[in-house]
């Protein structure tokens, strides 16, 4: 089992569960994790998702011992392409496209493809013990994957991200926050409480507006400013016809807290 799942009060917590190997994931395990996300996407009772790791690390990326057998190195271009197309890349697309907010609680070191998992959330917080190791190029002679080559330059800028990838020098949690990779750094004992607080807030958010905002921010890196103005227009013209904005305006005028769950939303069940 690649991850343990628990559900309470409309929040699902996924805990990567291979602590003996820093929660490294086999190539097939990425597909198993995607299946978990897809099940949560369909679960109408789940409004927000937390992803964290068991033990002292968040995720060391791919489990390198799955690359070899008794005969030695077993990966071929064909088997690796299949793993990307069937397991890893579908997982990353699901995480970026899922209609429900994802809170990432980075509980310790993160490396390799684990960086892609860590940065694909909507609210990314980290323990003071977290460290980011992007060792694809200098250690494994491969390029960053799991979306890392898109996420790092878009979050940090090319001139900060490329040396991190080429040299493999780690960033600690405070440096990662300063570089724009994460939202907040908290003490180890407060990490999950903080993550759950964000999840509770997001689980009460207007589902349709949250979904469209996530889409716009993801599209921003590849969209011209003028085109983004049109995307914003189209999104708000669609949202104004729904029940959530009506509830928001009514609550503002009545000086009360909006209750978007009574406005006709299904809690982000997806398609």
């Amino acid at each position: 089992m690649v991850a343990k799942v628990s559900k309470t009060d409309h929040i699902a917590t996924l805990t990567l569960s291979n602590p003996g190997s820093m929660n490294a994931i086999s190539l097939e395990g990425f597909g198993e994790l995607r299946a978990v996300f897809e099940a949560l996407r369909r679960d109408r009772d789940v409004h927000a998702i937390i992803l964290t790791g068991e033990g002292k690390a968040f995720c060391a990326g791919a489990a390198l011992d799955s690359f070899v057998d008794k005969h030695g190195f077993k990966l071929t271009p064909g088997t690796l392409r299949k793993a990307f197309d069937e397991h890893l890349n579908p997982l990353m697309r699901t995480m970026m496209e899922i209609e429900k907010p994802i809170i990432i609680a980075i509980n310790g070191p993160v490396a390799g493809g684990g960086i892609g998992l860590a940065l694909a959330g909507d609210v990314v917080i980290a323990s003071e013990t977290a460290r980011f190791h992007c060792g694809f190029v200098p250690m494994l002679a491969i390029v960053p994957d799991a979306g890392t080559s898109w996420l790092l330059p878009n979050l940090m800028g090319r001139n900060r991200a490329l040396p991190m990838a080429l040299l493999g020098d780690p960033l600690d949690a405070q440096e990662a926050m300063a570089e724009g990779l994460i939202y907040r750094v908290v003490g180890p004992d407060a990490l999950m409480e903080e993550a759950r607080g964000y999840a509770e807030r997001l689980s009460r958010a207007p589902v349709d507006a949250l979904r469209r905002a996530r889409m716009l921010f993801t599209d921003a890196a590849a969209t011209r400013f003028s085109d983004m103005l049109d995307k914003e227009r189209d999104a708000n013209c669609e949202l104004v016809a729904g029940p959530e904005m009506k509830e928001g305006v009514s609550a503002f005028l009545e000086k009360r807290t909006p209750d978007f769950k009574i406005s006709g939303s299904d809690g982000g069940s997806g398609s």
Side-chain angles (χ1 to χ4, degrees):
M1 181 173 61
V2 67
K4 300 174 182 176
V5 182
S6 62
K7 303 176 191 176
T8 55
D9 300 327
H10 304 298
I11 298 168
T13 299
L14 276 63
T15 304
L16 300 175
S17 56
N18 186 16
S21 298
M22 296 180 63
N23 296 315
I25 303 173
S26 69
L27 293 177
E28 294 78 10
F30 287 110
E32 295 172 15
L33 187 58
R34 182 207 179 197
V36 175
F37 274 104
E38 290 291 352
L40 294 176
R41 171 184 247 165
R42 297 188 297 270
D43 189 336
R44 290 176 176 268
D45 193 51
V46 172
H47 299 168
I49 301 167
I50 299 172
L51 177 65
T52 191
E54 183 178 349
K56 296 182 178 180
F58 176 75
C59 179
L64 299 185
D65 57 2
S66 66
F67 294 2
V68 297
D69 58 22
K70 63 182 180 180
H71 302 295
F73 190 72
K74 67 178 183 179
L75 275 186
T76 67
T79 57
L80 186 58
R81 178 178 293 275
K82 182 177 181 181
F84 272 102
D85 289 345
E86 295 184 1
H87 302 302
L88 179 57
N89 289 351
L91 165 64
M92 300 313 302
R93 291 188 177 102
T94 294
M95 290 184 67
M96 293 297 283
E97 296 168 2
I98 195 170
E99 297 83 357
K100 302 179 182 184
I102 300 175
I103 299 87
I104 307 290
I106 305 172
N107 55 301
V110 54
I115 294 177
L117 288 180
L119 301 183
D122 303 303
V123 178
V124 183
I125 63 174
S127 162
E128 294 167 342
T129 62
R131 288 175 69 82
F132 295 76
H133 300 262
C134 189
F136 295 92
V137 174
M139 296 179 64
L140 298 176
I142 57 175
V143 300
D145 56 29
T148 306
S149 62
W150 187 92
L151 289 160
L152 287 181
N154 277 292
L155 294 170
M156 301 173 68
R158 179 187 184 277
N159 287 352
R160 299 293 292 172
L162 188 56
M164 181 179 173
L166 298 182
L167 301 172
D169 294 336
L171 294 181
D172 63 28
Q174 291 292 344
E175 290 170 326
M177 184 170 67
E179 294 287 2
L181 294 182
I182 61 178
Y183 181 54
R184 187 161 294 173
V185 178
V186 300
D189 295 338
L191 180 69
M192 293 311 296
E193 181 180 356
E194 189 91 356
R196 185 161 186 87
Y198 290 127
E200 289 173 349
R201 290 168 60 184
L202 289 172
S203 71
R204 297 190 296 268
V207 174
D208 291 335
L210 187 149
R211 174 180 58 84
R212 293 303 293 263
R214 295 173 77 249
M215 292 170 59
L216 286 176
F217 275 65
T218 300
D219 290 346
T223 303
R224 295 186 310 145
F225 178 76
S226 179
D227 294 336
M228 184 57 74
L229 295 176
D230 294 337
K231 285 177 177 282
E232 292 171 344
R233 175 205 63 207
D234 293 344
N236 279 334
C237 287
E238 179 180 319
L239 291 168
V240 76
E244 293 177 344
M245 184 176 180
K246 294 181 178 67
E247 166 63 10
V249 172
S250 296
F252 179 83
L253 295 176
E254 296 167 10
K255 296 181 172 56
R256 62 176 174 83
T257 301
D259 183 356
F260 293 110
K261 294 300 176 274
I262 67 172
S263 64
S265 167
D266 66 1
S269 61
S271 55

